[in-house]
PDB file of all heavy atoms in Angstrom:
ATOM      1  N   ASP A  40     -18.987  19.786 -25.336  1.00  0.00           N
ATOM      2  CA  ASP A  40     -19.429  21.186 -25.450  1.00  0.00           C
ATOM      3  C   ASP A  40     -18.373  22.154 -24.945  1.00  0.00           C
ATOM      4  O   ASP A  40     -18.331  23.315 -25.380  1.00  0.00           O
ATOM      5  CB  ASP A  40     -20.699  21.456 -24.588  1.00  0.00           C
ATOM      6  CG  ASP A  40     -21.921  20.813 -25.196  1.00  0.00           C
ATOM      7  OD1 ASP A  40     -21.843  20.360 -26.360  1.00  0.00           O
ATOM      8  OD2 ASP A  40     -22.933  20.741 -24.490  1.00  0.00           O
ATOM      9  N   ARG A  41     -17.553  21.684 -23.994  1.00  0.00           N
ATOM     10  CA  ARG A  41     -16.510  22.540 -23.423  1.00  0.00           C
ATOM     11  C   ARG A  41     -15.194  22.437 -24.213  1.00  0.00           C
ATOM     12  O   ARG A  41     -14.148  22.878 -23.734  1.00  0.00           O
ATOM     13  CB  ARG A  41     -16.289  22.175 -21.958  1.00  0.00           C
ATOM     14  CG  ARG A  41     -17.451  22.581 -21.056  1.00  0.00           C
ATOM     15  CD  ARG A  41     -17.425  21.827 -19.728  1.00  0.00           C
ATOM     16  NE  ARG A  41     -18.362  22.377 -18.767  1.00  0.00           N
ATOM     17  CZ  ARG A  41     -19.665  22.110 -18.731  1.00  0.00           C
ATOM     18  NH1 ARG A  41     -20.199  21.282 -19.626  1.00  0.00           N
ATOM     19  NH2 ARG A  41     -20.442  22.657 -17.820  1.00  0.00           N
ATOM     20  N   GLY A  42     -15.231  21.800 -25.370  1.00  0.00           N
ATOM     21  CA  GLY A  42     -14.068  21.737 -26.241  1.00  0.00           C
ATOM     22  C   GLY A  42     -13.108  20.604 -25.938  1.00  0.00           C
ATOM     23  O   GLY A  42     -11.986  20.598 -26.451  1.00  0.00           O
ATOM     24  N   VAL A  43     -13.541  19.636 -25.147  1.00  0.00           N
ATOM     25  CA  VAL A  43     -12.677  18.544 -24.742  1.00  0.00           C
ATOM     26  C   VAL A  43     -12.869  17.351 -25.688  1.00  0.00           C
ATOM     27  O   VAL A  43     -13.984  17.109 -26.164  1.00  0.00           O
ATOM     28  CB  VAL A  43     -13.019  18.119 -23.277  1.00  0.00           C
ATOM     29  CG1 VAL A  43     -12.265  16.878 -22.863  1.00  0.00           C
ATOM     30  CG2 VAL A  43     -12.739  19.258 -22.328  1.00  0.00           C
ATOM     31  N   ASP A  44     -11.768  16.620 -25.962  1.00  0.00           N
ATOM     32  CA  ASP A  44     -11.866  15.347 -26.698  1.00  0.00           C
ATOM     33  C   ASP A  44     -12.310  14.303 -25.672  1.00  0.00           C
ATOM     34  O   ASP A  44     -11.499  13.727 -24.949  1.00  0.00           O
ATOM     35  CB  ASP A  44     -10.452  15.033 -27.256  1.00  0.00           C
ATOM     36  CG  ASP A  44     -10.334  13.578 -27.721  1.00  0.00           C
ATOM     37  OD1 ASP A  44     -11.376  12.944 -28.011  1.00  0.00           O
ATOM     38  OD2 ASP A  44      -9.187  13.100 -27.810  1.00  0.00           O
ATOM     39  N   ALA A  45     -13.639  14.102 -25.590  1.00  0.00           N
ATOM     40  CA  ALA A  45     -14.211  13.224 -24.564  1.00  0.00           C
ATOM     41  C   ALA A  45     -14.759  11.970 -25.217  1.00  0.00           C
ATOM     42  O   ALA A  45     -15.434  12.034 -26.244  1.00  0.00           O
ATOM     43  CB  ALA A  45     -15.310  13.936 -23.805  1.00  0.00           C
ATOM     44  N   VAL A  46     -14.477  10.815 -24.600  1.00  0.00           N
ATOM     45  CA  VAL A  46     -14.946   9.524 -25.105  1.00  0.00           C
ATOM     46  C   VAL A  46     -15.578   8.749 -23.923  1.00  0.00           C
ATOM     47  O   VAL A  46     -15.114   8.849 -22.797  1.00  0.00           O
ATOM     48  CB  VAL A  46     -13.778   8.714 -25.707  1.00  0.00           C
ATOM     49  CG1 VAL A  46     -14.203   7.299 -26.087  1.00  0.00           C
ATOM     50  CG2 VAL A  46     -13.193   9.428 -26.936  1.00  0.00           C
ATOM     51  N   ALA A  47     -16.641   8.042 -24.258  1.00  0.00           N
ATOM     52  CA  ALA A  47     -17.352   7.213 -23.265  1.00  0.00           C
ATOM     53  C   ALA A  47     -17.187   5.753 -23.639  1.00  0.00           C
ATOM     54  O   ALA A  47     -17.286   5.406 -24.831  1.00  0.00           O
ATOM     55  CB  ALA A  47     -18.823   7.578 -23.232  1.00  0.00           C
ATOM     56  N   VAL A  48     -16.942   4.909 -22.675  1.00  0.00           N
ATOM     57  CA  VAL A  48     -16.881   3.469 -22.950  1.00  0.00           C
ATOM     58  C   VAL A  48     -17.750   2.727 -21.957  1.00  0.00           C
ATOM     59  O   VAL A  48     -17.813   3.080 -20.776  1.00  0.00           O
ATOM     60  CB  VAL A  48     -15.417   2.946 -22.945  1.00  0.00           C
ATOM     61  CG1 VAL A  48     -14.765   3.049 -21.570  1.00  0.00           C
ATOM     62  CG2 VAL A  48     -15.325   1.490 -23.441  1.00  0.00           C
ATOM     63  N   ASP A  49     -18.482   1.727 -22.468  1.00  0.00           N
ATOM     64  CA  ASP A  49     -19.386   0.941 -21.599  1.00  0.00           C
ATOM     65  C   ASP A  49     -19.836  -0.281 -22.395  1.00  0.00           C
ATOM     66  O   ASP A  49     -20.104  -0.157 -23.590  1.00  0.00           O
ATOM     67  CB  ASP A  49     -20.620   1.782 -21.227  1.00  0.00           C
ATOM     68  CG  ASP A  49     -21.385   1.233 -20.026  1.00  0.00           C
ATOM     69  OD1 ASP A  49     -21.940   0.133 -20.153  1.00  0.00           O
ATOM     70  OD2 ASP A  49     -21.390   1.890 -18.961  1.00  0.00           O
ATOM     71  N   PRO A  50     -19.943  -1.437 -21.728  1.00  0.00           N
ATOM     72  CA  PRO A  50     -20.446  -2.637 -22.456  1.00  0.00           C
ATOM     73  C   PRO A  50     -21.889  -2.454 -22.952  1.00  0.00           C
ATOM     74  O   PRO A  50     -22.288  -3.076 -23.929  1.00  0.00           O
ATOM     75  CB  PRO A  50     -20.370  -3.758 -21.422  1.00  0.00           C
ATOM     76  CG  PRO A  50     -19.746  -3.220 -20.199  1.00  0.00           C
ATOM     77  CD  PRO A  50     -19.566  -1.739 -20.361  1.00  0.00           C
ATOM     78  N   ALA A  51     -22.629  -1.562 -22.294  1.00  0.00           N
ATOM     79  CA  ALA A  51     -24.048  -1.372 -22.676  1.00  0.00           C
ATOM     80  C   ALA A  51     -24.171  -0.797 -24.077  1.00  0.00           C
ATOM     81  O   ALA A  51     -25.242  -0.906 -24.712  1.00  0.00           O
ATOM     82  CB  ALA A  51     -24.728  -0.433 -21.672  1.00  0.00           C
ATOM     83  N   TYR A  52     -23.112  -0.201 -24.625  1.00  0.00           N
ATOM     84  CA  TYR A  52     -23.215   0.397 -25.962  1.00  0.00           C
ATOM     85  C   TYR A  52     -23.230  -0.678 -27.064  1.00  0.00           C
ATOM     86  O   TYR A  52     -23.360  -0.340 -28.241  1.00  0.00           O
ATOM     87  CB  TYR A  52     -22.054   1.403 -26.189  1.00  0.00           C
ATOM     88  CG  TYR A  52     -22.010   2.513 -25.163  1.00  0.00           C
ATOM     89  CD1 TYR A  52     -20.822   3.163 -24.875  1.00  0.00           C
ATOM     90  CD2 TYR A  52     -23.143   2.881 -24.469  1.00  0.00           C
ATOM     91  CE1 TYR A  52     -20.767   4.175 -23.939  1.00  0.00           C
ATOM     92  CE2 TYR A  52     -23.093   3.869 -23.488  1.00  0.00           C
ATOM     93  CZ  TYR A  52     -21.914   4.501 -23.219  1.00  0.00           C
ATOM     94  OH  TYR A  52     -21.869   5.496 -22.261  1.00  0.00           O
ATOM     95  N   GLU A  53     -23.094  -1.950 -26.657  1.00  0.00           N
ATOM     96  CA  GLU A  53     -23.283  -3.028 -27.622  1.00  0.00           C
ATOM     97  C   GLU A  53     -24.752  -3.223 -27.938  1.00  0.00           C
ATOM     98  O   GLU A  53     -25.101  -3.841 -28.935  1.00  0.00           O
ATOM     99  CB  GLU A  53     -22.732  -4.349 -27.043  1.00  0.00           C
ATOM    100  CG  GLU A  53     -21.242  -4.501 -27.260  1.00  0.00           C
ATOM    101  CD  GLU A  53     -20.662  -5.615 -26.423  1.00  0.00           C
ATOM    102  OE1 GLU A  53     -21.425  -6.449 -25.880  1.00  0.00           O
ATOM    103  OE2 GLU A  53     -19.431  -5.634 -26.317  1.00  0.00           O
ATOM    104  N   LEU A  54     -25.618  -2.740 -27.055  1.00  0.00           N
ATOM    105  CA  LEU A  54     -27.060  -2.922 -27.260  1.00  0.00           C
ATOM    106  C   LEU A  54     -27.562  -2.175 -28.486  1.00  0.00           C
ATOM    107  O   LEU A  54     -27.045  -1.093 -28.790  1.00  0.00           O
ATOM    108  CB  LEU A  54     -27.848  -2.418 -26.032  1.00  0.00           C
ATOM    109  CG  LEU A  54     -27.615  -3.168 -24.693  1.00  0.00           C
ATOM    110  CD1 LEU A  54     -28.285  -2.409 -23.563  1.00  0.00           C
ATOM    111  CD2 LEU A  54     -28.111  -4.589 -24.787  1.00  0.00           C
ATOM    112  N   ALA A  55     -28.573  -2.728 -29.123  1.00  0.00           N
ATOM    113  CA  ALA A  55     -29.203  -1.983 -30.233  1.00  0.00           C
ATOM    114  C   ALA A  55     -29.945  -0.805 -29.603  1.00  0.00           C
ATOM    115  O   ALA A  55     -30.322  -0.822 -28.422  1.00  0.00           O
ATOM    116  CB  ALA A  55     -30.189  -2.905 -30.927  1.00  0.00           C
ATOM    117  N   THR A  56     -30.139   0.255 -30.426  1.00  0.00           N
ATOM    118  CA  THR A  56     -30.705   1.509 -29.889  1.00  0.00           C
ATOM    119  C   THR A  56     -31.946   1.329 -29.030  1.00  0.00           C
ATOM    120  O   THR A  56     -32.017   1.862 -27.894  1.00  0.00           O
ATOM    121  CB  THR A  56     -30.961   2.501 -31.026  1.00  0.00           C
ATOM    122  OG1 THR A  56     -29.712   2.680 -31.721  1.00  0.00           O
ATOM    123  CG2 THR A  56     -31.415   3.855 -30.516  1.00  0.00           C
ATOM    124  N   PRO A  57     -32.997   0.583 -29.487  1.00  0.00           N
ATOM    125  CA  PRO A  57     -34.214   0.518 -28.657  1.00  0.00           C
ATOM    126  C   PRO A  57     -33.923  -0.114 -27.289  1.00  0.00           C
ATOM    127  O   PRO A  57     -34.457   0.337 -26.277  1.00  0.00           O
ATOM    128  CB  PRO A  57     -35.151  -0.385 -29.470  1.00  0.00           C
ATOM    129  CG  PRO A  57     -34.589  -0.389 -30.844  1.00  0.00           C
ATOM    130  CD  PRO A  57     -33.124  -0.141 -30.754  1.00  0.00           C
ATOM    131  N   GLU A  58     -33.054  -1.119 -27.257  1.00  0.00           N
ATOM    132  CA  GLU A  58     -32.743  -1.765 -25.968  1.00  0.00           C
ATOM    133  C   GLU A  58     -31.940  -0.830 -25.049  1.00  0.00           C
ATOM    134  O   GLU A  58     -32.154  -0.791 -23.835  1.00  0.00           O
ATOM    135  CB  GLU A  58     -31.924  -3.046 -26.172  1.00  0.00           C
ATOM    136  CG  GLU A  58     -32.748  -4.258 -26.599  1.00  0.00           C
ATOM    137  CD  GLU A  58     -33.015  -4.242 -28.095  1.00  0.00           C
ATOM    138  OE1 GLU A  58     -32.102  -3.862 -28.868  1.00  0.00           O
ATOM    139  OE2 GLU A  58     -34.121  -4.614 -28.511  1.00  0.00           O
ATOM    140  N   LEU A  59     -31.030  -0.043 -25.661  1.00  0.00           N
ATOM    141  CA  LEU A  59     -30.241   0.890 -24.871  1.00  0.00           C
ATOM    142  C   LEU A  59     -31.150   1.980 -24.260  1.00  0.00           C
ATOM    143  O   LEU A  59     -31.064   2.274 -23.084  1.00  0.00           O
ATOM    144  CB  LEU A  59     -29.131   1.520 -25.713  1.00  0.00           C
ATOM    145  CG  LEU A  59     -28.223   2.518 -24.969  1.00  0.00           C
ATOM    146  CD1 LEU A  59     -27.487   1.836 -23.815  1.00  0.00           C
ATOM    147  CD2 LEU A  59     -27.233   3.173 -25.920  1.00  0.00           C
ATOM    148  N   VAL A  60     -32.020   2.527 -25.111  1.00  0.00           N
ATOM    149  CA  VAL A  60     -32.958   3.542 -24.611  1.00  0.00           C
ATOM    150  C   VAL A  60     -33.776   2.981 -23.459  1.00  0.00           C
ATOM    151  O   VAL A  60     -33.900   3.576 -22.398  1.00  0.00           O
ATOM    152  CB  VAL A  60     -33.894   4.022 -25.757  1.00  0.00           C
ATOM    153  CG1 VAL A  60     -34.978   4.948 -25.228  1.00  0.00           C
ATOM    154  CG2 VAL A  60     -33.090   4.722 -26.872  1.00  0.00           C
ATOM    155  N   ASP A  61     -34.275   1.764 -23.645  1.00  0.00           N
ATOM    156  CA  ASP A  61     -35.089   1.137 -22.631  1.00  0.00           C
ATOM    157  C   ASP A  61     -34.286   0.889 -21.341  1.00  0.00           C
ATOM    158  O   ASP A  61     -34.780   1.162 -20.225  1.00  0.00           O
ATOM    159  CB  ASP A  61     -35.575  -0.210 -23.214  1.00  0.00           C
ATOM    160  CG  ASP A  61     -36.618  -0.841 -22.348  1.00  0.00           C
ATOM    161  OD1 ASP A  61     -37.556  -0.113 -21.938  1.00  0.00           O
ATOM    162  OD2 ASP A  61     -36.476  -2.040 -22.009  1.00  0.00           O
ATOM    163  N   THR A  62     -33.042   0.431 -21.474  1.00  0.00           N
ATOM    164  CA  THR A  62     -32.210   0.140 -20.292  1.00  0.00           C
ATOM    165  C   THR A  62     -31.921   1.432 -19.527  1.00  0.00           C
ATOM    166  O   THR A  62     -32.004   1.461 -18.290  1.00  0.00           O
ATOM    167  CB  THR A  62     -30.874  -0.523 -20.753  1.00  0.00           C
ATOM    168  OG1 THR A  62     -31.187  -1.666 -21.500  1.00  0.00           O
ATOM    169  CG2 THR A  62     -30.020  -0.904 -19.578  1.00  0.00           C
ATOM    170  N   VAL A  63     -31.579   2.495 -20.245  1.00  0.00           N
ATOM    171  CA  VAL A  63     -31.286   3.770 -19.592  1.00  0.00           C
ATOM    172  C   VAL A  63     -32.539   4.287 -18.886  1.00  0.00           C
ATOM    173  O   VAL A  63     -32.504   4.699 -17.721  1.00  0.00           O
ATOM    174  CB  VAL A  63     -30.722   4.791 -20.605  1.00  0.00           C
ATOM    175  CG1 VAL A  63     -30.672   6.199 -20.034  1.00  0.00           C
ATOM    176  CG2 VAL A  63     -29.335   4.360 -21.057  1.00  0.00           C
ATOM    177  N   ARG A  64     -33.661   4.232 -19.569  1.00  0.00           N
ATOM    178  CA  ARG A  64     -34.925   4.725 -18.990  1.00  0.00           C
ATOM    179  C   ARG A  64     -35.314   3.886 -17.752  1.00  0.00           C
ATOM    180  O   ARG A  64     -35.757   4.415 -16.730  1.00  0.00           O
ATOM    181  CB  ARG A  64     -36.038   4.701 -20.027  1.00  0.00           C
ATOM    182  CG  ARG A  64     -35.835   5.659 -21.155  1.00  0.00           C
ATOM    183  CD  ARG A  64     -36.777   6.860 -21.058  1.00  0.00           C
ATOM    184  NE  ARG A  64     -36.554   7.776 -22.175  1.00  0.00           N
ATOM    185  CZ  ARG A  64     -35.834   8.900 -22.105  1.00  0.00           C
ATOM    186  NH1 ARG A  64     -35.275   9.280 -20.973  1.00  0.00           N
ATOM    187  NH2 ARG A  64     -35.683   9.653 -23.156  1.00  0.00           N
ATOM    188  N   ARG A  65     -35.158   2.570 -17.845  1.00  0.00           N
ATOM    189  CA  ARG A  65     -35.526   1.708 -16.721  1.00  0.00           C
ATOM    190  C   ARG A  65     -34.604   1.918 -15.542  1.00  0.00           C
ATOM    191  O   ARG A  65     -34.991   1.643 -14.402  1.00  0.00           O
ATOM    192  CB  ARG A  65     -35.507   0.221 -17.156  1.00  0.00           C
ATOM    193  CG  ARG A  65     -36.823  -0.226 -17.771  1.00  0.00           C
ATOM    194  CD  ARG A  65     -36.897  -1.726 -17.950  1.00  0.00           C
ATOM    195  NE  ARG A  65     -35.956  -2.196 -18.968  1.00  0.00           N
ATOM    196  CZ  ARG A  65     -34.852  -2.879 -18.721  1.00  0.00           C
ATOM    197  NH1 ARG A  65     -34.538  -3.229 -17.487  1.00  0.00           N
ATOM    198  NH2 ARG A  65     -34.055  -3.278 -19.690  1.00  0.00           N
ATOM    199  N   SER A  66     -33.391   2.416 -15.768  1.00  0.00           N
ATOM    200  CA  SER A  66     -32.462   2.642 -14.673  1.00  0.00           C
ATOM    201  C   SER A  66     -32.779   3.917 -13.896  1.00  0.00           C
ATOM    202  O   SER A  66     -32.235   4.128 -12.810  1.00  0.00           O
ATOM    203  CB  SER A  66     -31.016   2.715 -15.193  1.00  0.00           C
ATOM    204  OG  SER A  66     -30.613   1.493 -15.739  1.00  0.00           O
ATOM    205  N   LEU A  67     -33.680   4.766 -14.422  1.00  0.00           N
ATOM    206  CA  LEU A  67     -33.985   5.998 -13.710  1.00  0.00           C
ATOM    207  C   LEU A  67     -34.785   5.727 -12.437  1.00  0.00           C
ATOM    208  O   LEU A  67     -34.273   5.958 -11.330  1.00  0.00           O
ATOM    209  CB  LEU A  67     -34.725   6.992 -14.636  1.00  0.00           C
ATOM    210  CG  LEU A  67     -33.877   7.574 -15.755  1.00  0.00           C
ATOM    211  CD1 LEU A  67     -34.740   8.347 -16.766  1.00  0.00           C
ATOM    212  CD2 LEU A  67     -32.776   8.503 -15.224  1.00  0.00           C
ATOM    213  N   PRO A  68     -35.979   5.146 -12.505  1.00  0.00           N
ATOM    214  CA  PRO A  68     -36.696   4.874 -11.240  1.00  0.00           C
ATOM    215  C   PRO A  68     -35.996   3.836 -10.385  1.00  0.00           C
ATOM    216  O   PRO A  68     -36.026   3.919  -9.189  1.00  0.00           O
ATOM    217  CB  PRO A  68     -38.075   4.379 -11.705  1.00  0.00           C
ATOM    218  CG  PRO A  68     -37.920   4.032 -13.125  1.00  0.00           C
ATOM    219  CD  PRO A  68     -36.768   4.809 -13.677  1.00  0.00           C
ATOM    220  N   ALA A  69     -35.336   2.857 -11.025  1.00  0.00           N
ATOM    221  CA  ALA A  69     -34.659   1.837 -10.250  1.00  0.00           C
ATOM    222  C   ALA A  69     -33.566   2.447  -9.395  1.00  0.00           C
ATOM    223  O   ALA A  69     -33.303   1.993  -8.266  1.00  0.00           O
ATOM    224  CB  ALA A  69     -34.075   0.759 -11.176  1.00  0.00           C
ATOM    225  N   GLY A  70     -32.935   3.520  -9.896  1.00  0.00           N
ATOM    226  CA  GLY A  70     -31.908   4.198  -9.105  1.00  0.00           C
ATOM    227  C   GLY A  70     -32.491   4.752  -7.831  1.00  0.00           C
ATOM    228  O   GLY A  70     -31.897   4.651  -6.758  1.00  0.00           O
ATOM    229  N   SER A  71     -33.708   5.339  -7.903  1.00  0.00           N
ATOM    230  CA  SER A  71     -34.327   5.851  -6.698  1.00  0.00           C
ATOM    231  C   SER A  71     -34.701   4.716  -5.758  1.00  0.00           C
ATOM    232  O   SER A  71     -34.748   4.882  -4.557  1.00  0.00           O
ATOM    233  CB  SER A  71     -35.583   6.642  -7.078  1.00  0.00           C
ATOM    234  OG  SER A  71     -35.226   7.679  -7.978  1.00  0.00           O
ATOM    235  N   GLY A  72     -34.994   3.537  -6.321  1.00  0.00           N
ATOM    236  CA  GLY A  72     -35.346   2.383  -5.528  1.00  0.00           C
ATOM    237  C   GLY A  72     -34.253   2.004  -4.550  1.00  0.00           C
ATOM    238  O   GLY A  72     -34.538   1.685  -3.389  1.00  0.00           O
ATOM    239  N   ILE A  73     -33.010   2.085  -4.992  1.00  0.00           N
ATOM    240  CA  ILE A  73     -31.886   1.769  -4.085  1.00  0.00           C
ATOM    241  C   ILE A  73     -31.876   2.745  -2.920  1.00  0.00           C
ATOM    242  O   ILE A  73     -31.686   2.383  -1.778  1.00  0.00           O
ATOM    243  CB  ILE A  73     -30.540   1.834  -4.857  1.00  0.00           C
ATOM    244  CG1 ILE A  73     -30.401   0.645  -5.795  1.00  0.00           C
ATOM    245  CG2 ILE A  73     -29.359   1.875  -3.874  1.00  0.00           C
ATOM    246  CD1 ILE A  73     -29.101   0.586  -6.559  1.00  0.00           C
ATOM    247  N   VAL A  74     -32.097   4.034  -3.239  1.00  0.00           N
ATOM    248  CA  VAL A  74     -32.107   5.050  -2.183  1.00  0.00           C
ATOM    249  C   VAL A  74     -33.227   4.771  -1.209  1.00  0.00           C
ATOM    250  O   VAL A  74     -33.051   4.816   0.019  1.00  0.00           O
ATOM    251  CB  VAL A  74     -32.245   6.457  -2.801  1.00  0.00           C
ATOM    252  CG1 VAL A  74     -32.351   7.514  -1.705  1.00  0.00           C
ATOM    253  CG2 VAL A  74     -31.065   6.755  -3.705  1.00  0.00           C
ATOM    254  N   ASP A  75     -34.417   4.432  -1.719  1.00  0.00           N
ATOM    255  CA  ASP A  75     -35.562   4.155  -0.852  1.00  0.00           C
ATOM    256  C   ASP A  75     -35.259   2.975   0.094  1.00  0.00           C
ATOM    257  O   ASP A  75     -35.646   2.993   1.252  1.00  0.00           O
ATOM    258  CB  ASP A  75     -36.815   3.840  -1.669  1.00  0.00           C
ATOM    259  CG  ASP A  75     -37.297   5.050  -2.420  1.00  0.00           C
ATOM    260  OD1 ASP A  75     -36.853   6.166  -2.072  1.00  0.00           O
ATOM    261  OD2 ASP A  75     -38.084   4.890  -3.359  1.00  0.00           O
TER     262      ASP A  75
END
Side-chain angles (χ1 to χ4, degrees):
D40 287 348
R41 289 162 169 82
V43 173
D44 165 22
V46 173
V48 64
D49 197 294
Y52 304 155
E53 276 167 14
L54 295 172
T56 304
E58 282 82 38
L59 180 62
V60 173
D61 189 47
T62 304
V63 168
R64 294 252 180 260
R65 274 191 292 108
S66 294
L67 291 170
S71 303
I73 288 182
V74 175
D75 292 345

